[in-house]
Amino acid sequence: MPELPEVETIRRQLAPVVEGRTLRELRIDDARWCRPLAPAELKAAVEGRRVERLDRRGKYLVWALEGDAFLLAHLRMTGTLLIDPPPGTRYERVRWRFAGDDDGPDIAFCDPRRFGTGELALGGDALDAFFAARVGVEPLGPEFTTDAMCAAARGRRAPIKAVLLDQRRIAGVGNIYADEALFRAQIHPLRPAGTVRRPQLDALRGAIVEVLNAGIGAGGATIDDFRHADGVEGAFQNEFLVHRRRGEPCPRCGTEIVKFVAAGRGTYACEHCQRPPRGVRRHR
DNA sequence: CGCGCAACCTGTCTGC
DNA sequence: TGCAGACAGGTTGCGC
């Protein structure tokens, strides 16, 4: 679940807690987290350094440490970052401990499925190279223009939803927010991206910005595992218009919402408001 | 290069 | 009720 709004929610909660503190120990209980780096190598690179900033790029949390070392954390499907959870918290994999008079609260990464990752970039050039290879335009930044949206879709035969999920084109949109944005822009998820016209792509750009901001405003969406850094649940799941609402009436026209597979993901849409492309129709 | 899909793990829900 | 199978927020790598 952690998509851009969930990661941003976590970042805003953690930043005031960790910025300015010195990372005394990074305890890594699951070596898979930082693969292919050995835990000892990562620890040696980051321990003892002060946290200058906690940033976000796409779905990555960026721990900017003194001396231009960057720890890049990704929550994947089921990861959470919690402030000072009690010892024995289920699925704890990594723990940040800080130096200071009273040490202050720890931060812990918890993840039942163990998909989450922690990677290291040493130097600004390495950081830039890391992101250049993985993430595209920030949808809440000034470069996310209509032209940028059109460039992402132009000439592609893949479904428009696949384009939204491609992090190298638009950074931070995941399965939930893709469904919600496509519904608001009234575009069927299976429309080949290259056939969507500029006015619709502009509407889609606006819808993406709208749903991401609404998601952040609601503190993200909690479907199952996601929690704020203090353990509280997000609320955006209560504002879903179509996602995970199969069989319910479309809030715009009352037609039953259907579920199908698009871009390999469970997908929800109103096929009255979002007209299917020619030759496509199959629900389940 | 574009695209679809299996794989990575574990937990939970679904259908027989 | 029990159990095998499907499915889940994301990303990567492989095959065509």
Side-chain angles (χ1 to χ4, degrees):
Chain A
M1 54 35 63
E3 305 179 27
L4 187 154
E6 289 73 30
V7 177
E8 178 62 20
T9 296
I10 294 285
R11 189 198 68 76
R12 291 182 183 186
Q13 287 195 300
L14 290 191
V17 176
V18 304
E19 284 178 350
R21 297 171 72 200
T22 296
L23 181 57
R24 175 161 57 84
E25 182 193 0
L26 185 69
R27 203 189 73 208
I28 303 170
D29 295 335
D30 180 6
R32 180 182 305 271
W33 184 69
C34 53
R35 243 178 8 180
L37 225 51
E41 294 178 271
L42 180 56
K43 288 164 63 69
V46 302
E47 286 178 350
R49 295 183 192 256
R50 200 174 73 96
V51 181
E52 292 183 340
R53 289 183 324 282
L54 188 65
D55 296 327
R56 180 191 57 73
R57 181 80 171 84
K59 300 173 190 172
Y60 285 90
L61 266 184
V62 182
W63 296 71
L65 308 174
E66 66 178 318
D68 265 1
F70 302 91
L71 178 56
L72 310 167
H74 198 299
L75 303 176
R76 299 291 173 113
M77 299 275 270
T78 49
T80 54
L81 279 167
L82 299 173
I83 298 170
D84 229 22
T89 296
R90 289 240 288 175
Y91 310 122
E92 180 177 323
R93 312 290 182 196
V94 182
R95 184 171 282 250
W96 285 250
R97 308 180 74 183
F98 299 89
D101 292 342
D102 58 359
D103 281 1
D106 295 350
I107 302 298
F109 172 70
C110 302
D111 185 5
R113 283 173 80 176
R114 300 199 291 156
F115 282 171
T117 54
E119 294 172 83
L120 177 69
L122 293 178
D125 289 348
L127 181 70
D128 292 343
F130 181 91
F131 285 130
R134 290 170 179 80
V135 296
V137 59
E138 277 292 323
L140 297 183
E143 343 84 89
F144 189 44
T145 58
T146 304
D147 282 348
M149 185 71 238
C150 291
R154 187 171 305 130
R156 326 193 110 267
R157 279 174 297 170
I160 185 69
K161 179 165 177 177
V163 169
L164 298 191
L165 295 178
D166 184 346
Q167 301 300 299
R168 290 164 305 182
R169 298 181 183 279
I170 302 167
V173 177
N175 202 34
I176 293 173
Y177 295 90
D179 281 1
E180 293 295 309
L182 287 165
F183 172 75
R184 294 187 191 210
Q186 301 187 56
I187 301 168
H188 196 281
L190 289 173
R191 276 278 296 281
T195 71
V196 183
R197 304 280 177 201
R198 185 178 178 92
Q200 288 180 289
L201 289 172
D202 184 54
L204 180 56
R205 183 203 57 75
I208 290 168
V209 173
E210 190 178 306
V211 296
L212 293 177
N213 278 322
I216 291 171
T222 293
I223 289 177
D224 192 16
D225 302 285
F226 175 71
R227 292 293 184 280
H228 294 180
D230 57 8
V232 170
E233 297 186 0
F236 192 64
Q237 68 279 5
N238 301 319
E239 298 177 39
F240 291 174
L241 299 182
V242 289
H243 190 75
R244 293 177 82 105
R245 292 192 174 279
R246 170 170 50 177
E248 297 181 34
C250 165
R252 180 181 281 124
C253 75
T255 300
E256 194 170 282
I257 293 165
V258 294
K259 180 183 183 186
F260 49 94
V261 174
R265 315 296 302 279
T267 298
Y268 301 80
C270 166
E271 292 198 317
H272 180 260
C273 295
Q274 300 163 269
R275 206 164 69 79
R278 289 174 54 80
V280 170
R281 66 172 148 55
R282 106 281 6 346
H283 325 145
R284 34 171 171 144

